[in-house]
Amino acid sequence: MAKAPTFEERKAHYEAQWSIMKVSQSRVASVDRSARLLLSNKSRYETVARATNVPWWLIAIIHMREASGRFDGILHNGEKIIGTGRKTTLVPAGRGPFKSWEEAAIDAINMKALGKVKAWTIARICYEVEAYNGWGYWWRGDKSSAYLWAGTSIDGGGKYVADHVWDGKAQDAQNGAMAVLSRIIELDPTVAKAIPDAARAGTPSTPAPQPTVPTSGTGRDPQSLIGAALNLIFKIIQSILKRKS
């Protein structure tokens, strides 16, 4: 098997990608929905976080990729085997059986030894999440994994449509983990504080709504007209004062 890249080999590239990433306009609403879904289940992710020493939001974005945020799908690969007495048949095969989603999630996280990571910087998040999915993109020579960047300006198209099956024409319909994380950071300030280099270039993925201001017949809004009038009054007062002096 080809050798996996080291963190140092990927670090600068991940940082550069994050700094310029923008969520595609066609995915803004979808990314927002994904982020809000994960946030609504924060308490369940926090249960696993306490048991594994891994941030809840990292568990959440992996869950979104593996099982679309559904709790009938395990964190390993999305298989629906909870409470069935069956073990996984997809990669990684032979895990389980599991009585609850949380039990399965703890197993998946510990299997990858994610609790040993000391500092969750953006580059480290990217590295560990891509490693969780596998290094197929790296081995192909592609610099961007759809697992991370789908739905953003970084995604170059093409994806693995099944384990070890590549389709260069496929477009990943799922939102990338980093696209969803970027929106979680915007919605939950505690996540931004937890990631030391969370700030990035570019505009937020969902612009704040701007109030609609009615315009007058001149095409100028009332606030600008009031400002112009006050300006004129101020100039007149200045002129009067100068004449008196």
Side-chain angles (χ1 to χ4, degrees):
M1 180 180 288
K3 185 180 178 182
T6 66
F7 173 63
E8 290 304 323
E9 285 179 291
R10 298 292 283 151
K11 180 176 181 290
H13 196 74
Y14 288 137
E15 290 170 342
Q17 288 178 315
W18 175 258
S19 72
I20 62 172
M21 182 198 80
K22 292 183 180 179
V23 173
S24 303
Q25 193 58 40
S26 62
R27 295 284 193 97
V28 166
S30 176
V31 166
D32 182 65
R33 285 194 299 272
S34 294
R36 291 180 187 277
L37 173 63
L38 299 182
L39 282 163
S40 72
N41 291 306
K42 182 176 178 178
S43 62
R44 294 194 71 170
Y45 298 127
E46 287 178 327
T47 297
V48 178
R50 287 191 292 270
T52 59
N53 197 36
V54 171
W56 74 265
W57 37 265
L58 187 90
I59 299 163
I61 60 176
I62 292 174
H63 186 215
M64 177 57 64
R65 285 296 308 187
E66 295 294 338
S68 300
R70 292 171 55 103
F71 287 94
D72 57 352
I74 61 172
L75 200 67
H76 304 72
N77 52 28
E79 283 188 86
K80 296 176 175 60
I81 61 169
I82 297 170
T84 65
R86 300 197 308 269
K87 294 185 178 183
T88 57
T89 56
L90 301 176
V91 178
R95 309 299 296 189
F98 304 109
K99 295 180 180 179
S100 68
W101 180 86
E102 284 79 4
E103 180 188 3
I106 291 168
D107 179 75
I109 294 296
N110 288 340
M111 183 184 70
K112 296 289 187 176
L114 294 176
K116 293 182 179 180
V117 176
K118 301 301 181 185
W120 288 102
T121 61
I122 286 299
R124 195 82 216 189
I125 294 165
C126 291
Y127 181 81
E128 297 298 343
V129 172
E130 185 167 4
Y132 190 97
N133 176 240
W135 294 107
Y137 292 90
W138 167 264
W139 292 329
R140 283 184 49 81
D142 296 324
K143 300 301 183 184
S144 59
S145 164
Y147 196 86
L148 294 178
W149 307 110
T152 76
S153 54
I154 304 299
D155 185 21
K159 65 168 289 187
Y160 284 91
V161 294
D163 289 337
H164 313 300
V165 180
W166 172 259
D167 185 344
K169 295 181 180 179
Q171 192 72 39
D172 199 326
Q174 278 188 290
N175 297 315
M178 300 309 289
V180 177
L181 180 61
S182 72
R183 185 59 180 144
I184 290 175
I185 288 169
E186 292 168 0
L187 293 169
D188 187 340
T190 66
V191 179
K193 289 180 181 179
I195 305 171
D197 53 349
R200 61 188 175 85
T203 56
S205 59
T206 303
Q210 298 298 314
T212 301
V213 180
T215 59
S216 68
T218 62
R220 299 177 66 181
D221 64 89
Q223 286 185 334
S224 66
L225 290 172
I226 292 170
L230 290 173
N231 219 12
L232 179 60
I233 293 169
F234 181 72
K235 288 181 179 178
I236 291 172
I237 292 172
Q238 277 189 318
S239 176
I240 293 171
L241 292 173
K242 282 182 180 179
R243 284 201 297 270
K244 285 185 176 180
S245 61

